[in-house]
Every structure is written in C-alpha cells, then in structure tokens.
Amino acid sequence: GGPRALRYGSTRDYVLGMDVVLPNGTPLSVGKKTVKGVTGYDLTSLLVGSEGTLAITTEITLKLLPKPQAVATMLVPLPSLESAAQAVTSLLSHGILPRCLELLDEATLTIVRPLSQMPIPEAARALLLVELDGEEAALEVLMARHGTEREKLWGARRELSRALRGKAKFKLAEDVVVPRSKIPALIDQCQRLSEQYQVFMPCYGHAGDGNIHVNFLWTDPSDEPRVHKAIEALFKHVIALGGTLSGEHGIGVLKAPYLPLEHSPQLIRLQEQLKAVFDPKQLLNPGKIFPGHLQRFHSAC
C-alpha cells in the first residue's frame, strides 16, 4: 500500500509471478513472466495476500513503470473535515488522479505543527498533502516542484508515526478503509470514541482511497482493556459504514479475533480449507488471520 497506491495501486498489481516452496518441500512456479496471462486460478494474488501462511517465497517477477518526468507537491490547510472531504471528491471528480492525497485530522495537526518546516495555519482543522506527477509541462501551476521543497512538505508526514509514539508509552495503529465520502463520519466517530474511552486517537492517512490510520495512544498499562474496547467499537463502526478492517497491514494476530465482523463463518471456513491444502500441519505463521487458528496456537503454546 502506502501513499502512492491511489495512483499506482498496491503490491499485488505489480507481482506477475512467484517461485515458492510449500511447507512439505514442493517447489511451485505460479503466475507468469509476461505482462498479460490468465491461465488457471490467480494463485499469485492469493499468495501475495496470504501473509506468509501458505508458502515460502524464493523469487518474484515484478512489473515496473517508468519514473515520471516531474513531481509537484502542495499543502492544503482546510477549516474542517467536511471541507477536506469535499476537496477530495471535487479533485477526483474532475479526473485529476494524484499519486498521493494524504489527510491529517485536527488531533494529528497538533503534533505535526512543531515538526513541520512549512507553516500550517492555526485555524486549520484538517490538512491535505497533495502530490501529482507526470510530464514536466503539465505541472507548472503547483508549488514545491523541487526536491528540497517537497522534502520540507513531506518531512513532518514521514516523522508522524515516530512523533506519535513519543507522545505515549504504548501505541497501536489500525489501518481501516471506508468509502471516501464516509471519512468525516469515521473521524467524527473516532473523536467520540476518544472521549468515551479516554484514549487519545489521532487519525491520518490516504484520503484518496479512504484508507485511514487510526492511532491509539496510552501510558498506563491498566488502560489497555479500555483501549481494546475502543478498537472493537471502531471496527464495528467501520463495517457499518461499508468499510473493511484493513487496507494495508493485513489481519495478522491482533486483528484475528475481529475477522468475523467482516467475513461470514462460511467464508472463513473456505479460507481455512485453502490454508489446509497448502499447509495441512499449520507450520507457516501459526495463529495468524483466523480466530480459530489463534486459539489453537495459544493452546499449543
């Protein structure tokens, strides 16, 4: 994933083929080494999204794109989340597809302002970081066309995760996705959950594809149960908004108990059966993705 996925897609879009080894030692080549090809099931995408639970990868064939001639970046301070959402919708509806379209909410801005080498107005309640690339002649109207200027604009954004971690002893980040029009509703709900559970919850992320990183910060270990209640409430709200529990990070271990919020028992069972075909002894990344596997893994430990 990442900031440029809005324009260029995610990792799976560039993996043409893979050489892998199954847990029993069987080597397999899946996919192709050509740009097009549709023979058989798309096992390449299955393996890319499997979080290391199906096979061990030994070689990957990737599709590459030419480097753009020019890049231009700008900061857009806005008075509200609603105006930020309207700006995103307007930009995309006019056929403009940035390579990056990042959103920072008000709580996040309080942390970013001291780090930023570019002034951010105190009146701003949301901020968009917009970056376009393409032919040199097409980017004359935008600011920050030179590398040093771009670095100033991106510097605070790149330091954001580290800065957030410095604000509290413990930090969890959940990367949820909702339809773009629902971003204000999501962040409004995060503000309500923050007040309800007394957990600091700054939000930022990829506004162009609705992928928002919701952070949970706390210092007292006794607050952890309250944090997990806030996380569960967040996930339920995301599903109610027509969203998904993860856009980039995957399910892993921590999100495994929440998978049934999004996937039906039948769908989970089908995926468990696929896992059993590749890895019948449950050797690869045990405890990941599926709630039942997590419980069995903890029992075995």
Side-chain angles (χ1 to χ4, degrees):
R4 299 179 191 175
L6 172 61
R7 180 175 178 87
Y8 292 109
S10 57
T11 302
R12 73 170 70 246
D13 300 316
Y14 295 88
V15 180
L16 298 175
M18 304 168 67
D19 288 349
V20 302
V21 179
L22 298 183
N24 65 4
T26 302
L28 291 177
S29 291
V30 300
K32 64 274 183 187
K33 299 185 185 296
T34 55
V35 174
K36 295 175 71 175
V38 291
T39 55
Y41 292 150
D42 187 1
L43 296 180
T44 303
S45 291
L46 173 64
L47 291 171
V48 169
S50 68
E51 301 184 29
T53 61
L54 300 182
I56 298 168
T57 304
T58 59
E59 185 174 306
I60 305 174
T61 301
L62 295 170
K63 175 176 66 176
L64 301 178
L65 296 180
K67 186 177 181 180
Q69 292 180 2
V71 178
T73 311
M74 62 180 173
L75 283 181
V76 185
L78 292 154
S80 67
L81 280 171
E82 290 72 20
S83 60
Q86 291 169 4
V88 170
T89 300
S90 178
L91 188 68
L92 297 175
S93 65
H94 281 81
I96 301 172
L97 187 60
R99 75 173 188 176
C100 301
L101 186 50
E102 298 289 282
L103 169 69
L104 282 67
D105 75 349
E106 184 176 2
T108 307
L109 284 180
T110 62
I111 297 172
V112 165
R113 278 193 181 92
L115 301 174
S116 177
Q117 298 183 52
M118 302 289 284
I120 300 173
E122 291 294 330
R125 296 294 177 265
L127 184 138
L128 292 176
L129 178 57
V130 185
E131 188 162 272
L132 298 180
D133 64 13
E135 296 180 4
E136 185 78 31
L139 300 175
E140 294 298 328
V141 299
L142 293 177
M143 61 179 288
R145 297 180 61 242
H146 302 295
T148 53
E149 294 174 338
R150 275 202 311 278
E151 192 58 37
K152 287 181 179 179
L153 292 179
W154 275 102
R157 170 63 178 86
R158 292 198 182 101
E159 290 296 317
L160 187 51
S161 181
R162 186 184 306 174
L164 287 172
R165 188 171 294 280
K167 292 293 180 180
K169 186 174 182 180
F170 303 103
K171 173 180 176 289
L172 281 175
E174 302 293 354
D175 78 310
V176 297
V177 187
V178 295
R180 285 191 297 264
S181 62
K182 303 296 185 181
I183 289 176
L186 171 66
I187 296 181
D188 283 345
Q189 178 66 11
C190 287
Q191 293 171 348
R192 287 191 289 271
L193 292 175
S194 177
E195 295 173 2
Q196 179 181 350
Y197 293 100
Q198 294 298 294
V199 180
F200 187 39
M201 292 173 56
C203 303
Y204 64 91
H206 319 311
D209 50 24
N211 186 189
I212 302 299
H213 297 270
V214 182
N215 295 268
F216 297 79
L217 305 176
W218 73 102
T219 298
D220 190 333
S222 66
D223 291 339
E224 186 170 349
R226 194 165 64 241
V227 171
H228 285 287
K229 288 181 180 179
I231 290 174
E232 183 175 4
L234 167 68
F235 288 162
K236 289 180 177 178
H237 188 67
V238 166
I239 298 302
L241 291 174
T244 181
L245 299 184
S246 181
E248 296 175 335
H249 298 169
I251 297 299
V253 172
L254 293 182
K255 281 186 178 176
Y258 305 107
L259 186 64
L261 293 176
E262 182 172 343
H263 287 191
S264 68
Q266 295 82 2
L267 182 55
I268 291 176
R269 179 57 184 157
L270 176 61
Q271 293 172 89
E272 289 177 326
Q273 289 170 340
L274 278 171
K275 162 75 168 169
V277 170
F278 282 83
D279 183 18
K281 295 184 178 180
Q282 304 293 322
L283 298 176
L284 298 183
N285 273 351
K288 279 199 174 180
I289 302 180
F290 307 111
H293 290 190
L294 183 63
Q295 293 168 4
R296 289 192 290 272
F297 175 63
H298 285 163
S299 297
C301 292

